[in-house]
Amino acid sequence: MENLMTPYKSVLTIAGSDSGGGAGIQADIKSISACGAFAASVITATTAQNTQGVLDIHAIPMSHLELQLEAVLSDIEFGAIKIGMLHSCEVIKVVQSKLAEYDVKNIVIDPVMVATSGNKLIADDAIDCLKEFLPKADLITPNIHEAELLIGHSIGLQNFEASAIEIGKRFNTSVLLKGGHLESSSSELTDILYVHGSGEIHKIFNPKIDTKNTHGTGCSLSSSIATFLCLGYSLEMAVRKGCAYVNEAIASGKNKTLGKGNAPINHFGL
């Protein structure tokens, strides 16, 4: 019988490392694997981090970062690229330049600027560089705090949908504006997907889960969406499936404990 070889469906994550294992590269690899693709990684920085916060950030030398990118992009065909923590202008420019050399598709950027713990994860002067990079993405996935930094005004229930549209039009990209930080008495969480080009608006509803075990949700969501794009789903379906996956991982991890702070989501439902 003929031995038919089939390629892995592969997703590249470009992000920082979380030594505590709940967020960053570690959460990305778990999410990509759980959702059915092969995960490769390029590490932009290492962090001394646990469930209680970020103690230190150590930047990877630019020459090594560039070699990591070259190594994987020249060898492996990726169905999607997930980009997380890019902590400096220099890092952003290296990543942007190297991706431009290759025919990459389905770029999902999680514009990581502030950790859930409140720790800032990006240099002040890098925010403008990040804004210049965002139009290269097929989708960006800011939370409310990140979105407010991107457009320079506060976001509440009254302008939630309008803000998603504003971000999409300003940065010429599709936007998933996450509503988890909105103050609401509803038993549901609402995320807004603005589809660049068509102008379509989709509302994604998921039940609100009473738990503090949400470390790494942003990383996990963006990498799971990238995975479903890699597997061939439309943008809307990839977003819906990614949101559902993360919501299920939050639900299955709400009674788990890890460390002394906010535990991560349960990526594999273990």
Side-chain angles (χ1 to χ4, degrees):
M1 181 179 292
E2 185 180 355
N3 182 22
L4 297 176
M5 304 291 286
T6 57
Y8 284 104
K9 299 287 188 178
S10 302
V11 177
L12 173 63
T13 168
I14 304 170
S17 169
D18 172 7
S19 54
I25 286 283
Q26 286 82 351
D28 293 341
I29 291 173
K30 291 169 189 173
S31 298
I32 294 165
S33 302
C35 293
F38 179 87
S41 65
V42 167
I43 298 175
T44 58
T46 61
T47 64
Q49 185 176 173
N50 55 28
T51 61
Q52 299 177 86
V54 180
L55 304 178
D56 190 34
I57 299 173
H58 174 70
I60 299 297
M62 290 303 102
S63 59
H64 185 64
L65 173 60
E66 192 167 7
L67 282 173
Q68 286 184 78
L69 288 162
E70 178 65 28
V72 292
L73 289 168
S74 65
D75 183 48
I76 302 170
E77 183 177 348
F78 294 104
I81 312 284
K82 176 265 161 95
I83 300 173
M85 188 177 83
L86 304 175
H87 55 278
S88 71
C89 255
E90 198 174 14
V91 169
I92 293 167
K93 289 176 180 177
V94 166
V95 170
Q96 184 172 348
S97 173
K98 189 55 67 174
L99 289 181
E101 292 182 25
Y102 292 88
D103 184 25
V104 297
K105 56 189 175 182
N106 293 325
I107 298 175
V108 178
I109 298 180
D110 183 16
V112 177
M113 289 181 271
V114 181
T116 303
S117 60
N119 298 99
K120 192 168 66 173
L121 298 173
I122 187 171
D124 290 334
D125 64 348
I127 294 176
D128 287 337
C129 291
L130 182 60
K131 289 178 179 179
E132 292 175 8
F133 187 29
L134 295 183
K136 303 296 183 183
D138 295 282
L139 176 72
I140 63 173
T141 61
N143 62 31
I144 294 296
H145 303 314
E146 290 159 348
E148 288 174 340
L149 284 172
L150 291 176
I151 56 177
H153 63 69
S154 61
I155 299 173
L157 289 171
Q158 74 285 353
N159 67 344
F160 183 42
E161 184 174 320
S163 295
I165 297 170
E166 180 183 352
I167 294 168
K169 290 183 174 180
R170 181 175 298 188
F171 296 105
N172 295 312
T173 186
S174 296
V175 179
L176 176 65
L177 182 55
K178 299 176 291 191
H181 292 100
L182 281 177
E183 292 295 331
S184 171
S185 58
S186 172
S187 61
E188 286 186 317
L189 292 177
T190 305
D191 300 319
I192 298 288
L193 172 64
Y194 167 79
V195 181
H196 180 62
S198 69
E200 294 174 12
I201 292 287
H202 301 280
K203 294 184 178 180
I204 295 101
F205 302 102
N206 278 292
K208 187 182 293 183
I209 299 166
D210 185 18
T211 179
K212 292 183 178 180
N213 295 347
T214 57
H215 183 50
T217 49
C219 309
S220 302
L221 178 59
S222 54
S223 53
S224 62
I225 292 171
T227 303
F228 290 120
L229 287 171
C230 173
L231 295 177
Y233 290 93
S234 67
L235 178 61
E236 180 192 352
M237 282 307 301
V239 167
R240 290 189 181 279
K241 288 180 73 66
C243 289
Y245 162 71
V246 169
N247 197 257
E248 290 167 7
I250 293 172
S252 66
K254 68 177 183 177
N255 295 321
K256 298 283 188 178
T257 62
L258 183 77
K260 301 172 183 175
N262 294 339
I265 66 176
N266 190 356
H267 291 92
F268 296 102
L270 301 174

